[in-house]
Amino acid sequence: MAKVWVDGKAYEMNSGQNLLHGCLSNGLDLPYFCWHPAMGSVGACRQCAIRQYKDETDTTGRLVMACMTPVAEGALISIKDEEASAFRASVIEGLMMSHPHDCPVCDEGGECHLQDMTVMTGHTYRRYSFQKRTWRNQNLGPLINHEMNRCIQCYRCVRYYHDYAGGNDLQAFGLRNNVFFGRHEDGTLESEFSGNLVEICPTGVFTDKTSRWHYTRKWDLTFAPSVCAHCGTGCNTSPAERYGSLRRIINRYNSEVNGYFLCDRGRFGYEFVNSPERIREPLLGGVPIPPEAALDSFAGFLSAGEAIGIGSPRASLEANFALRRLVGAEHFYSGMDDAEHRAMAAILEILRAGPARTPSVREIEHSDAALVLGEDLTNTAPRLALALRMTVRQAEFRIAEKLHIPPWLDNSVREAAQSVRSPLFIATPSATRLDDVAARTFHGAPDEIARLGYAVARALDPAAPDVPRLTEEMAFLAGFVAEALRTARQPVIIAGPSLRNEALVRAAAAVARALHAAGKPALLAFTAPEANSMGLAMMEPRPLGEAFSSGARTAIVLENDLYRRAPADDVDAFLGATRHVVALDYLTNPTTAKAELALPAGTFAESDGTFVSNEGRAQRFFQAMLPAGLVQESWRWLGSPVLKNLDDAVLALVEAMPQFAGIVDAAPPSTYRVANAKVARAPFRYSGRTAEHANVSVHEPPPPDDPDSALSFSMEGASVNPPPSLIPFFWAPGWNSHQQALNRFQEEVAGVLKGGVPGARLIEPSGLPQSAPETVPAPFAPRAGEWLLVPLYHIFGSDELSERSPAIASLAPQPYVALGVEDAAQLAVSAGQEVSVAGRRLPVKIMPELPRGVAGLPAGLAPGIPPLPAWSVIAP
């Protein structure tokens, strides 16, 4: 740290950063536009001008840009200097010359960084009276709205989209003194992370198009701290509600997980909460009944005896525990298909045994070599894919370090490195969106990918299992990968259960153990398919297949569509043989359609609970809105009347299952108070509560009580520095923009939130040996007349919940079967031609990289297809 004097007062600043970073970290108001803590400095906007002095005797000083000036011990600067203030005012006046000044109708109004900076610089009067520059806006697809006339040319959008997220279809197009930021033609933005433009853009150029259909000003929204429900990475979010409907999702900063960014599925996949297909009241035989009658019927089913419970990887820990407690541990079954169940059990065993620990997303970003086995991360764990784009940049930072270039000086770092990358190796059945930054790629069947992993382990450690019948090509690649991992400072191995291959998971662990034996401690990360896959695995349920043969008289299905987990014939037989079927869910699906009793469960936005991420981090999510109709949390339906509130559910879970003891620290209990007050869910400018209920009464009703959390359903309450796990939204005086106000909540900009990192890690290596022996698979052998069907994942469409959101559904591909060139020629079929596969007619999609004998089916997009991989005949 260095001592810097600002306007005569001393401040401690990070000596490895720039002065803008240091000023903002100390709570000083200094305007800026182009700088972003995740992307560094380029000095494009000239808005952060300050005066810097040589020493105490220097009375003149010089104007410098704070974002381009490094922190130095004893530096003397002034933000309030008259000339610096006038310079900043003139800059923003120039930027605003062609701005339409349409704040009252702009979607960004009230949370606009440009508004904040205009007020901060004192620019209040428009002197420019000539014709404005105008642009034609583009249609950028169903997620992002484009209003180019509001642009101030800060270059943040293209720097993020192209340089950080790796997208190529958004560019800056220049003509004389005009610069246009958009695509070469109208069309949907291709990047799976395009939604971050909404928060990256400091004006209203890029806004949330899904929110436009039910727009509400920020100050009239009710927020809550939450966790993304669409994969197992555990990204923190802030859902926002108004008039009983969910209006949007924004990023909630967590330094160890999602940082500043979300994927588009996490940001725009929320609309299923407002779906007309929601179950809003209990149904008995499809007929609505009162809650009391539903509970009486439920109790009658249970009294018949022989009841089993089927859990869910998308339901909270508390809901799964309430079901397990109700039916007994010996009658509690996994809601995952059996192959995924085995893979998740293996992952949990590996992470507990060690020696490698599972890293956070931030740690993956700082790794300098990576091996991905079997996972198409952009589609199965998108935030990890974005992290790997930072992993490959670590070589750039090492080169810059040798040249004494600070890492925040973005253009200089890139110029010095000349696109040198840290090694990334990807082994998958088909091509991925990360292949463009990979040093080597390998495409093979799941068993072949596992064999490659074991070969890498053998090349690192002669004590690792031998890989018989290894081809010369694979042996060379294994040696190349092993050498790159061995020479890295901090290598990371990433795998997961998406290919339903336990050997592949254990191969990743073998590589990590071999690195450890070679004196190179590695990180080992596994993906998790759904929001609570890891938490469900930690409950050690019985396999789903055993439930089908249990002979139970009553089956309780928790937030799960069994037709996505097992072959339709098996599910039909099970449900048909079970006398009473009770389903708790929030959307109608084939399972709820066959249930005798359907109970309306709350979504993540209407309930409270805990998810455990792929990292083993337990994180609490809280309801942003009161449930409509007779909806309530699944754990309330299952735990009534014993579990009266969330605290009861958490404590009962911890008492029964000590492995979850850490979840008590995931968030404060409902009794927690800040200055003797609850934490406000709504901004203090919240208005119109009387008008909301004017059709009922013109008198303002009291805000509803929340017995489950330390949050209030109103603007009344504490809003200054609550615990990180209870922060519903980011706001600070003068900083209405969500992402800019965040600076006030961090110990240091881009660092940890004041109060620590939200959540609690539950899994750390113990050093105990693994119970399962290492078994290297035999080489993959194509079968005559049959193909191995493997799942191919799509960020838009493969997820059960987001595919029920209209904007996401519009981007999902149609069902298809993917074939390699040789296999398509063998069948004499071409792209678009339909073939028969697994009882369905599907069009062919040619994927040249698919190995011979392997065909791909889109996961979640072809109803009726049994869980994959599976062998099947494909016929024209």
Side-chain angles (χ1 to χ4, degrees), residues 803-820:
E803 70 174 354
R804 309 284 284 271
S805 302
I808 295 296
S810 69
L811 297 174
Q814 294 301 309
Y816 63 87
V817 58
L819 294 171

Side-chain angles (χ1 to χ4, degrees), residues 664-720:
V664 174
D665 301 321
S670 61
T671 54
Y672 180 86
R673 298 291 183 270
V674 177
N676 208 31
K678 282 195 167 191
V679 177
R681 277 183 170 92
F684 74 83
R685 295 180 297 171
Y686 186 88
S687 62
R689 195 165 72 204
T690 302
E692 285 184 71
H693 304 280
N695 62 320
V696 178
S697 171
V698 295
H699 298 287
E700 182 174 314
D705 183 41
D706 182 2
D708 298 314
S709 76
L711 298 160
S712 69
F713 275 108
S714 71
M715 57 185 262
E716 289 87 6
S719 59
V720 179

